[in-house]
Amino acid sequence: NGSTFENKLTYKEKDKDLIRNKTTYSTIDDENQTKVSYGDVSSGNLLGQNSVNLMGLRVSSPYYHNRNSLTSLVPSVNVNGFSVNPTQMDILFNNVLHDRVQIGSGLYDLNIPLNQFNGDGTITTVTYDASGNPIRVDLPTFRNSQIVKKGALEYDVSIGSVRKNEYQDNFNYSGGYIFSATSLYGLTDRISTETMLQISKEGSSLLGNINAY
């Protein structure tokens, strides 16, 4: 059991001002396998899709944030942070370029599938600051194709108001409400399924994936 408090600020050189990026309080209940976060949170997402940043409540199983360790047949790496400007992210495995994705300005939270990866290795992400300098993060990891467990369930539920203009405004949550629920379930030791339901003022959507080895 435990709790954390996170408060991120960014200094805007042009305006000589500080912008509040993220303020989040989280608790983890080991006995009930539940993580609860309040404040600025990111919704759950399917592999390869972007999350939504919002002010509200997020409840999830702790292993949801590292899904490849339990039930995901398609390995993934969770990468989150803050980017002042739109940039690209290079993804390397054992120093070999694996993929390249574009990220926008503001907070980002990505689950990136790594289909051609097995065994021990180091996943490296490289982003670039406003001056073009690389920011490198190394993530030692291990994946085995038999790691999926039948009956294992991971979940993520979030509700709140969508944040807008993250780098420009401190407290702009005018993007409307959103409810998001995502689950990941091990059907067998070789098949897992993902499901995501989102409801917002724009409407509702239901998406799903089935992963088989």
Side-chain angles (χ1 to χ4, degrees):
N1 296 334
S3 61
T4 60
F5 177 77
E6 183 179 18
N7 190 45
K8 292 184 177 180
L9 302 173
T10 294
Y11 180 69
K12 295 180 64 177
E13 179 68 28
K14 179 180 179 180
D15 301 326
K16 306 297 182 183
D17 192 16
L18 282 173
I19 294 295
R20 186 191 63 85
N21 301 330
K22 181 179 183 181
T23 305
T24 308
Y25 176 74
S26 301
T27 62
I28 297 179
D29 185 336
D30 293 328
E31 181 177 350
N32 295 313
Q33 291 291 288
T34 302
K35 180 178 181 178
V36 181
S37 299
Y38 311 86
D40 291 292
V41 298
S42 298
S43 67
N45 58 345
L46 298 184
L47 293 177
Q49 295 195 5
N50 292 336
S51 298
V52 176
N53 299 320
L54 54 100
M55 169 62 76
L57 172 69
R58 182 179 187 180
V59 181
S60 63
S61 53
Y63 283 107
Y64 181 89
H65 302 276
N66 188 21
R67 288 176 278 180
N68 56 301
S69 65
L70 276 187
T71 62
S72 179
L73 285 163
V74 178
S76 67
V77 57
N78 180 264
V79 181
N80 60 73
F82 182 86
S83 177
V84 174
N85 300 305
T87 185
Q88 70 180 27
M89 177 185 291
D90 295 335
I91 304 164
L92 301 90
F93 178 61
N94 290 342
N95 291 319
V96 177
L97 182 64
H98 179 85
D99 198 4
R100 180 169 287 156
V101 298
Q102 300 297 318
I103 57 177
S105 59
L107 293 171
Y108 61 87
D109 188 352
L110 305 175
N111 277 297
I112 303 170
L114 302 165
N115 301 316
Q116 303 171 11
F117 156 65
N118 203 59
D120 288 300
T122 299
I123 298 168
T124 302
T125 63
V126 182
T127 54
Y128 301 86
D129 63 19
S131 300
N133 301 311
I135 302 171
R136 181 185 177 105
V137 178
D138 292 326
L139 304 167
T141 189
F142 174 81
R143 188 248 176 178
N144 186 298
S145 59
Q146 300 301 316
I147 208 165
V148 176
K149 180 181 178 183
K150 179 181 179 180
L153 174 66
E154 301 300 318
Y155 63 88
D156 185 289
V157 179
S158 55
I159 187 171
S161 298
V162 178
R163 188 168 185 180
K164 304 291 287 185
N165 300 325
E166 294 170 51
Y167 183 60
Q168 287 76 31
D169 301 328
N170 282 301
F171 297 96
N172 186 345
Y173 300 97
S174 61
Y177 73 89
I178 189 171
F179 169 81
S180 177
T182 309
S183 67
L184 182 64
Y185 182 72
L187 295 174
T188 71
D189 61 353
R190 290 181 177 273
I191 300 175
S192 67
T193 180
E194 296 178 283
T195 306
M196 181 176 71
L197 170 67
Q198 280 194 350
I199 302 174
S200 67
K201 67 177 184 179
E202 283 79 23
S204 60
S205 62
L206 180 64
L207 303 173
N209 290 331
I210 294 179
N211 306 312
Y213 174 74

